[in-house]
Amino acid sequence: MIPRSVILCNARGVHDGPTAEWAVTAVLAMQKYLPFYVGLQQREDWDGKKGAEDIYLLSDGAVRDVTCPILMEEISDKTVLIVGYGSIGQAIERRLESFGAKFLRISRSPRVGVAAATALDELLPLADIVVLATPLTTETRHMIDAVRLAKMKRGSLLVNVGRGAVVETDALTSALRDGKIRAALDVTDPEPLPRGHPLWKAPNLLVTPHVATDTPTFMARAFAFAAEQARRFARGEKLHNIVHGEY
């Protein structure tokens, strides 16, 4: 849709901090079963806390502890697969690294330590937490479908901070209902999520309305970046973040 004479640039870097913070918050919230405990708080029912172990028991190899119920999970030593290892994916890794996680990485530009998208089927079964931080393109639409959800570890966590249609919604809803996986979403398909949609009632799901970047400092960063681009254009200098191909 862009004429050949027009240079298209994206805002790489502007969204990194808040999006990464949302992703880390979502991972922590789900590993600590906070949605479950908020439900107990609303029902004034701390007696139900042992039900947290039922979430833990979704995971492969999990067994009930007769001496002490498992009431929370950890990030330490968990394997995190970041799908879309651009600036946002890297920002997420830097923040999760301090929790002792291990990392697998996928990018459309593979390099040392970062696999190509063709490795997704091979890496999904190895991950305890899968973070999606990809744009929506022909290649990424419904990248996570029923077949790939079935490849994920039972009880693993899917986090989507990219675009809703990267995940096939009906397949995700079924996987959540079946106790196959857990999920945290800032983006959905459709969006906004309409009243009555099955995702609202899906178990082991945390969902927010595409607000990860909506912080008080977002617009200041965006205008500062746009102003710098305008200055570079006026000086005849190369622009940042030129988009080549589909975006």
Side-chain angles (χ1 to χ4, degrees):
M1 295 176 64
I2 304 298
R4 291 186 179 276
S5 59
V6 175
I7 299 173
L8 175 65
C9 303
N10 65 28
R12 176 186 171 99
V14 171
H15 303 291
D16 294 1
T19 305
E21 288 180 4
W22 185 95
V24 173
T25 300
V27 170
L28 280 167
M30 294 301 288
Q31 291 297 91
K32 301 306 178 184
Y33 306 161
L34 294 192
F36 169 79
Y37 286 113
V38 168
L40 295 186
Q41 176 188 347
Q42 292 173 338
R43 296 194 300 273
E44 303 178 15
D45 178 27
W46 283 153
D47 290 339
K49 68 180 183 181
K50 290 185 179 181
E53 193 173 55
D54 294 334
I55 303 174
Y56 168 73
L57 290 172
L58 295 176
S59 303
D60 283 338
V63 294
R64 194 176 297 278
D65 190 328
V66 296
T67 61
C68 179
I70 306 300
L71 302 182
M72 286 190 171
E73 255 286 13
E74 300 179 10
I75 298 176
S76 180
D77 292 326
K78 295 296 187 292
T79 297
V80 179
L81 170 60
I82 300 177
V83 183
Y85 194 67
S87 62
I88 291 175
Q90 293 167 38
I92 292 170
E93 178 176 311
R94 286 195 300 272
R95 287 159 174 80
L96 283 177
E97 193 172 24
S98 63
F99 291 96
K102 297 175 289 188
F103 296 94
L104 301 169
R105 311 167 187 90
I106 285 178
S107 173
R108 58 183 172 185
S109 301
R111 49 202 183 275
V112 176
V114 184
T118 52
L120 182 59
D121 292 327
E122 175 187 348
L123 297 182
L124 275 174
L126 306 178
D128 302 296
I129 299 167
V130 178
V131 180
L132 306 176
T134 67
L136 181 62
T137 67
T138 302
E139 289 75 20
T140 63
R141 180 177 292 276
H142 291 178
M143 171 188 286
I144 304 299
D145 56 11
V147 173
R148 284 180 167 150
L149 287 169
K151 292 178 183 293
M152 293 176 61
K153 285 184 180 181
R154 186 168 183 85
S156 59
L157 173 63
L158 178 68
V159 178
N160 191 2
V161 294
R163 289 291 181 266
V166 171
V167 180
E168 205 283 299
T169 301
D170 290 344
L172 173 61
T173 304
S174 295
L176 290 168
R177 286 177 169 172
D178 293 344
K180 168 63 179 173
I181 64 166
R182 301 172 294 132
L185 314 173
D186 185 50
V187 289
T188 58
D189 181 29
E191 192 176 289
L193 201 60
R195 291 182 181 273
H197 193 280
L199 270 182
W200 287 114
K201 303 294 185 182
N204 296 311
L205 172 66
L206 172 66
V207 60
T208 58
H210 205 154
V211 294
T213 62
D214 295 347
T215 67
T217 57
F218 162 68
M219 289 306 296
R221 284 195 305 274
F223 277 113
F225 175 76
E228 174 58 20
Q229 288 283 73
R231 285 190 289 268
R232 297 180 71 86
F233 183 81
R235 294 192 296 258
E237 298 173 359
K238 184 178 180 180
L239 300 178
H240 293 301
N241 305 347
I242 296 175
V243 175
H244 301 283
E246 186 179 0
Y247 177 70

